[in-house]
Amino acid sequence: VTGEEEPKNAVVTAEEFDPDFIQMLRAEQQILEAMCADWEMVDVEGADDSKFAKFNDILKHELFKKDRNPGQKLVVFSESKDTVEYLQRRLNRKDVLVIDSSNRTKLFKTIQENFDANYKKSLRKDDYNIIITTDVLAEGVNLHRSNIIINYDTPWNSTKLMQRIGRVNRIGSVAPNIYNYMFYPSQQGDKEIQLYKNALVKLQGFHSAFGEDAQIYS
């Protein structure tokens, strides 16, 4: 049936579906609810997290070396708000600023004061040395008092990856080099979702069309 107000919108009634469809939906719902119940029983904070352990190790021994990070600032991106909040809890540092869509506008000035190299010098602050954010800050903000970016996950949209790096790779940076760290999916996980392959193919498409540039994914 075609909707009268908007011809492109199809109006479908319940009677038009196969009678078995609702039963299949209910069966899938039971599976998903069981998976969620199992997940609730997992102690995420106390679990052996090799990915966080590696991140924490390079954070302590590498990322804030003066010769590598003259501005003593660090930018960490994740696609997931849950991951951003998890990292904040695990790091448990007072100099960590956490940003997502719920507080971006409210804390925008704080972001500029602590991470924008173009912000007036007399108004700059060092209350925060690490910013952990979702892709809400992948566009429209300068974070180039840092010259190091950590991609704690690989975005499906490779354009987003390049936008992330563009936050620190900007005119006005005092650092001679930009360092881009990538956490790849686990071997087991990538076998299922093939994220590494898909991201690499998309980025190679950019290089083929526009010419080689920085090493984005290596």
Side-chain angles (χ1 to χ4, degrees), residues 4 15 27 41 53 69 90 97 130 136 155 182:
E4 294 180 1
E15 290 74 19
M41 298 175 63
N69 186 353
R90 290 296 300 265
L97 179 64
I130 302 173
V136 71
M182 289 293 310

Side-chain angles (χ1 to χ4, degrees), residues 5-62:
E5 295 183 3
E6 174 52 66
K8 293 182 181 179
N9 292 339
V11 179
V12 182
T13 63
E15 290 74 19
E16 294 180 69
F17 288 95
D18 188 303
D20 294 333
F21 186 67
I22 187 66
Q23 298 301 325
M24 291 188 291
L25 283 179
R26 286 172 177 160
E28 290 187 359
Q29 181 181 6
Q30 291 180 347
I31 294 172
L32 292 172
E33 288 177 347
M35 290 173 62
C36 289
D38 288 342
W39 188 253
E40 287 295 327
M41 298 175 63
V42 176
D43 180 12
V44 178
E45 306 298 325
D48 180 18
D49 186 348
S50 58
K51 183 177 182 180
F52 176 79
K54 180 61 178 178
F55 171 57
N56 201 32
D57 179 63
I58 62 174
L59 180 66
K60 292 178 178 178
H61 302 110
E62 181 176 335

Side-chain angles (χ1 to χ4, degrees), residues 201-218:
V201 167
K202 291 176 184 177
L203 286 168
Q204 188 55 50
F206 291 138
H207 290 315
S208 299
F210 304 113
E212 295 294 329
D213 194 1
Q215 292 180 345
I216 301 297
Y217 201 49
S218 63

Side-chain angles (χ1 to χ4, degrees), residues 84-99:
V84 165
E85 293 174 347
Y86 166 76
L87 290 175
Q88 180 187 30
R89 293 193 301 271
R90 290 296 300 265
L91 289 176
N92 193 27
R93 292 174 53 143
K94 293 182 179 180
D95 64 340
V96 173
L97 179 64
V98 174
I99 303 294

